[in-house]
Amino acid sequence: MADEDKEAGNRSLMRRFLRGLGLFVSLSLIIAAIYLYDPLPDNPPAEALAFGAASYDAEIIRDSWGVPHIFGARDADVSFGLAYAHAEDDYETIQEVLAATRGVLARYRGPDAAADYIVEFFDIWDTLDARYETDVPTHVKDIANAYAAGLNLYASENPDKTWQGLAPFKGEDVLAGFMFKTPFFYGLDQTLQGLFAPGRNQEIALAPNGETSAFLLQERTGAELGSNAIAIAARRSTDDTTRLLINSHQPMTGPVAWYEAHLSSREGLNITGGLFPGVPLILHGFNDDLGWANTVNKMDLADVYVLTRNPDNPMQYRLDGEWVDFEVKEVTLNIKLFGSFVYPATRKLLKSRHGPVIESDGKTYALRYAGMGEVRQLEQYYRLNRSENMTQFMDAMAMNALPSINYVFADKTGNVAFIHNGQYPDRIDGWDWEKDLPGDRSELIWQGYRPFVDVPKLINPVSGMVFNANNTPFSATDGPDNLKAEQFPAHLGLSTSQTNRSMRLIDLTDGTTAVSRERLLEIKFDDDYSRTSKIARLAQKIGAIDFANDPVLADAAQLIAAWDLSADAENRNAALPILTLSYHDKFSPDDDSDAALTEALQVTVSFLKEHHGRLDPEWGEVNRLVRGTVSLPVDGGPDTLRAIYAAGDNSGGIAASTHGDTWIGLVEWRPDGRQVADVIHQFGSATLDQQSPHYADQVPLFVEKRWRRALTTREAVLADAKRQYRPGK
């Protein structure tokens, strides 16, 4: 009995323990739920959101392609109307952009929204708060506030589409968006990724007297998702017409996909072109007098400093022989778990005199980069939009508020120009600025940028032609007067590389032969690889590999060896080499060994056999432009002048286009003074509405290389108008 009583007592004790444990767990969960439960506030009522709209009056006219033409008395009215029109077509993306800019995207999207950390890392909002009143002119604030008012009006009319707690939108959101995005166009994201990479090897720059040791630095390489731009002066054309080709390569969807609009005010604004969600003006395009095309440039505009921390006080670093305190900022990133439950992740951000600090793999780095602390980007774009001649355009460029991006310019008087634009750090000579810098020397902490007069530029060259395809600035014309490396200090970090597209531009021009409209279009839509390109070299190498023991790979290698380097949609030899070398470029870009190339070939052979039953399907069976239920074959490929990239999963046996040729413009100023412009968008004006007739209506034109005539006068717009309305009226 004693044993039975003892066992009963143990069971009773266990029950009490489990009840207690259950109560503890329940209380813990309740406390955690209370701690983590953080519902978003409601948006303001509709009448409050719409209140600001009364200050603006814009007319939106949609043409037969659904493209919005915005008219207003003031530039601010036009900005207001643009926001409303763009929200009609892409409100979800605009909201995503603004949430990312505010550093609250993780509150809606969960832990994958890394943008919130970057916003804090860049110190965007503290910088904007400190400089908004003093450094942003009133007329720039006016268009930013007008844009916000247009979004707020749309939100008031569409509460079910508006993210909870995100409205009201404000003008500062627009300015912060430029601060957040512009540094990434020269590759700052790659610098950040490299700093966070585990096992990052360093190569520290040698001082002029050689006092610092060096180690191996691993570089990141990969496909160049770039852009094309060509300007031809009237004197170089066959018909005395100045022409500008605007051909930026962007993602086809998402926060940096092109949206087309025409903006016209009685204050003098009349411009057509492309812009991104959340932007109140044209980023590249043309007005009555001039136009410009942008391409990404890859200069060295960011510097990494290796810091030495105080072993007795890790909140200090060494500078000029002394221990200096870090600036410390504690931030909380609210990360959505599910529903209204949020995890508040608290982080300490450190800042040195160099810039923001990154702690990675046991080391401490500081980053100093072009665009840091800059708030004037929208002002410069506004001045570019309003420019009426080359002098005004160059004066606007001399603001030097945009961290990077090449400009290819043309105007109605026949001027053409190439500007390798950038905020070039005012670095001291004698150091290799492409390597990590020692962080204990204050003379290496550059202050400000080189003046615009020092920026590489080529104006009205002898041949009358300028171009860029993300290549070196030392190859910007087909004539004899290209810029030369020795004209510029090494610490500007100018690239010397060529792309296949720039090689083909060189192949296809000679510096003297007059260029007709038809010839310019042949060049633009060229889909060949240069025989001096990397892809041609690697294709030749694959063709020479001995696959005697594998008949399938031997046949594949023979097909590649016989390839004529064309990416025409009907080419039966193109799919195998292009897919093989795309795979190689993605997974082993630095390894050109037979083994790496063979692996890429094997993967591609399996893919083509599985999905197409042969090694030589027509390239257009694989290379497709897909939009909803529309799927059409398309010429071109990675890094061809007819640029088509597929960064998806190739599901269903096709490489659906995701990047490359998107919105394209061909602008002409003819001898009789007329301006004529043709444009095309890869999809259509209805970005998200699959039920709209304009969701995919331009796809057939795009794949067939046909154009729409741009409507730039009110009379032309009214003649083609399908819908006219005044938001809020």
Side-chain angles (χ1 to χ4, degrees):
M1 288 293 293
D3 289 342
E4 291 177 7
D5 290 343
K6 183 177 181 180
E7 177 143 344
N10 288 340
R11 286 198 298 271
S12 177
L13 182 64
M14 180 58 72
R15 282 194 295 272
R16 288 197 300 273
F17 171 76
L18 291 175
R19 280 197 297 272
L21 179 61
L23 180 62
F24 173 77
V25 170
S26 298
L27 287 172
S28 297
L29 290 174
I30 291 171
I31 293 170
I34 293 172
Y35 176 67
L36 298 177
Y37 185 70
D38 183 20
L40 287 161
D42 291 332
N43 291 320
E47 57 271 19
L49 284 173
F51 180 78
S55 300
Y56 305 98
D57 184 13
E59 181 184 24
I60 302 174
I61 304 178
R62 299 271 185 172
D63 65 23
S64 59
W65 295 96
V67 173
H69 302 259
I70 321 296
F71 296 91
R74 303 168 300 166
D75 294 348
D77 294 320
V78 173
S79 178
F80 166 79
L82 172 61
Y84 190 91
H86 201 170
E88 290 181 300
D89 291 326
D90 202 6
Y91 188 43
E92 184 75 4
T93 308
I94 292 173
Q95 291 183 94
E96 186 163 22
V97 166
L98 296 182
T101 297
R102 288 184 186 173
V104 298
L105 188 59
R107 185 65 181 82
Y108 298 93
R109 297 297 196 217
D112 292 336
D116 296 3
Y117 178 83
I118 301 300
V119 168
E120 296 290 353
F121 183 80
F122 285 175
D123 202 22
I124 285 175
W125 285 98
D126 284 349
T127 300
L128 186 57
D129 289 345
R131 299 186 58 189
Y132 180 76
E133 291 300 328
T134 57
D135 293 357
V136 181
T138 299
H139 65 283
V140 176
K141 292 174 184 170
D142 287 345
I143 61 167
N145 291 332
Y147 187 88
L151 293 182
N152 286 327
L153 175 62
Y154 188 83
S156 74
E157 298 171 351
N158 297 272
D160 293 342
K161 295 180 181 179
T162 303
W163 294 9
Q164 186 176 347
L166 195 59
F169 306 105
K170 54 187 181 179
E172 290 92 329
D173 290 325
V174 176
L175 293 158
F178 284 97
M179 297 169 66
F180 176 59
K181 288 179 186 176
T182 49
F184 291 121
F185 281 96
Y186 63 81
L188 187 62
D189 54 329
Q190 297 174 16
T191 301
L192 289 169
Q193 289 169 8
L195 285 171
F196 283 112
R200 179 181 188 269
N201 294 321
Q202 296 174 4
E203 185 176 355
I204 301 177
L206 290 169
N209 59 7
E211 59 187 54
T212 306
S213 300
F215 302 89
L216 178 66
L217 174 68
Q218 294 176 332
E219 270 188 9
R220 179 187 181 276
T221 61
E224 177 63 66
L225 303 180
S227 303
N228 305 325
I230 304 173
I232 297 177
R235 57 190 169 85
R236 178 71 186 275
S237 70
T238 57
D239 54 358
D240 201 28
T241 296
T242 298
R243 291 186 172 89
L244 173 68
L245 177 73
I246 307 170
N247 184 203
S248 170
H249 303 157
Q250 289 295 120
M252 294 188 174
T253 58
V256 287
W258 290 119
Y259 179 77
E260 181 186 344
H262 167 219
L263 313 180
S264 180
S265 82
R266 291 202 292 273
E267 290 182 337
L269 192 69
N270 189 43
I271 188 166
T272 297
L275 56 103
F276 297 149
V279 172
L281 291 169
I282 298 302
L283 296 181
H284 74 170
F286 55 95
N287 60 31
D288 298 332
D289 305 302
L290 54 84
W292 69 92
N294 292 130
T295 69
V296 171
N297 44 17
K298 294 288 187 181
M299 310 90 81
D300 177 18
L301 298 180
D303 291 313
V304 175
Y305 300 83
V306 183
L307 302 184
T308 301
R309 297 180 85 154
N310 186 346
D312 299 321
N313 180 0
M315 301 310 291
Q316 293 182 326
Y317 62 99
R318 189 168 63 205
L319 186 65
D320 294 336
E322 298 180 354
W323 296 115
V324 180
D325 292 334
F326 287 109
E327 293 181 36
V328 183
K329 177 182 178 182
E330 189 171 275
V331 299
T332 299
L333 307 177
N334 291 312
I335 302 171
K336 180 178 180 179
L337 298 175
F338 57 89
S340 294
F341 290 90
V342 176
Y343 175 71
T346 302
R347 297 286 184 270
K348 282 186 177 178
L349 293 180
L350 304 181
K351 187 176 181 180
S352 71
R353 292 185 192 172
H354 315 74
V357 169
I358 294 172
E359 300 170 271
S360 175
D361 204 27
K363 299 180 178 67
T364 304
Y365 305 96
L367 182 66
R368 195 166 188 80
Y369 58 93
M372 187 166 66
E374 182 62 76
V375 300
R376 301 171 301 144
Q377 298 95 334
L378 178 57
E379 180 185 357
Q380 183 165 343
Y381 274 117
Y382 193 7
R383 290 182 61 181
L384 292 174
N385 276 238
R386 292 296 303 269
S387 296
E388 297 178 356
N389 52 56
M390 188 175 186
T391 299
Q392 292 179 4
F393 185 87
M394 288 299 180
D395 286 345
M397 290 302 302
M399 278 188 65
N400 206 27
L402 301 174
S404 66
I405 302 295
N406 293 312
Y407 282 76
V408 170
F409 168 93
D411 68 18
K412 66 182 181 182
T413 64
N415 291 307
V416 297
F418 164 72
I419 307 167
H420 198 57
N421 177 65
Q423 289 180 321
Y424 292 93
D426 193 11
R427 299 161 170 148
I428 61 174
D429 290 322
W431 289 76
D432 187 346
W433 290 88
E434 293 185 0
K435 300 174 183 176
D436 291 352
L437 283 303
D440 60 349
R441 306 175 67 137
S442 61
E443 74 268 24
L444 297 181
I445 306 175
W446 44 265
Q447 305 296 326
Y449 307 107
R450 302 291 291 262
F452 183 66
V453 69
D454 291 347
V455 169
K457 57 183 77 70
L458 184 62
I459 300 172
N460 291 326
V462 171
S463 78
M465 176 180 179
V466 292
F467 63 82
N468 187 263
N470 311 107
N471 54 296
T472 175
F474 309 130
S475 179
T477 182
D478 60 344
D481 48 350
N482 267 302
L483 304 174
K484 295 179 173 53
E486 55 267 26
Q487 294 175 273
F488 304 95
H491 63 65
L492 290 189
L494 302 178
S495 170
T496 58
S497 64
Q498 299 281 15
T499 61
N500 175 72
R501 289 167 288 115
S502 64
M503 293 176 185
R504 285 298 293 164
L505 281 166
I506 294 168
D507 291 344
L508 296 169
T509 58
D510 62 9
T512 57
T513 302
V515 180
S516 65
R517 173 189 168 94
E518 292 72 26
R519 179 55 180 163
L520 176 59
L521 292 179
E522 287 176 1
I523 294 171
K524 187 277 150 288
F525 290 114
D526 177 76
D527 55 27
D528 283 5
Y529 290 93
S530 173
R531 297 197 175 277
T532 57
S533 67
K534 179 182 178 181
I535 199 168
R537 175 176 61 81
L538 293 181
Q540 185 177 38
K541 186 171 184 180
I542 292 173
I545 297 175
D546 183 4
F547 291 118
N549 296 325
D550 192 325
V552 174
L553 291 185
D555 289 344
Q558 287 183 359
L559 282 171
I560 291 178
W563 180 39
D564 63 359
L565 300 179
S566 167
D568 183 274
E570 297 178 355
N571 191 321
R572 285 198 173 274
N573 279 30
L576 185 61
I578 293 175
L579 293 179
T580 297
L581 294 172
S582 294
Y583 180 94
H584 171 266
D585 192 65
K586 181 176 181 179
F587 293 105
S588 51
D590 299 319
D591 183 0
D592 293 351
S593 66
D594 286 358
L597 294 170
T598 298
E599 177 189 347
L601 182 62
Q602 289 170 327
V603 170
T604 306
V605 165
S606 297
F607 171 81
L608 291 175
K609 286 281 192 181
E610 176 185 356
H611 294 287
H612 297 275
R614 58 192 298 166
L615 297 178
D616 61 346
E618 289 188 355
W619 177 226
E621 294 179 26
V622 180
N623 199 42
R624 314 283 293 188
L625 186 62
V626 180
R627 178 70 161 169
T629 59
V630 178
S631 176
L632 296 175
V634 61
D635 295 321
D639 202 21
T640 61
L641 285 164
R642 174 47 149 174
I644 299 292
Y645 299 86
D649 58 7
N650 294 349
S651 59
I654 66 169
S657 306
T658 57
H659 299 68
D661 277 2
T662 47
W663 184 82
I664 310 173
L666 177 60
V667 191
E668 301 178 326
W669 288 276
R670 295 182 175 174
D672 60 4
R674 287 187 304 139
Q675 181 202 67
V676 175
D678 291 318
V679 295
I680 190 63
H681 190 279
Q682 79 281 0
F683 292 148
S685 64
T687 308
L688 296 178
D689 183 5
Q690 297 191 35
Q691 306 308 312
S692 169
H694 305 301
Y695 183 69
D697 57 341
Q698 296 186 51
V699 173
L701 276 68
F702 184 85
V703 299
E704 295 167 13
K705 305 165 191 169
R706 293 190 286 133
W707 302 89
R708 302 172 9 247
R709 179 58 47 91
L711 308 177
T712 60
T713 66
R714 183 175 179 82
E715 293 73 23
V717 172
L718 287 172
D720 192 48
K722 298 301 178 185
R723 183 186 174 205
Q724 293 177 252
Y725 53 106
R726 307 180 91 90
K729 306 298 180 185

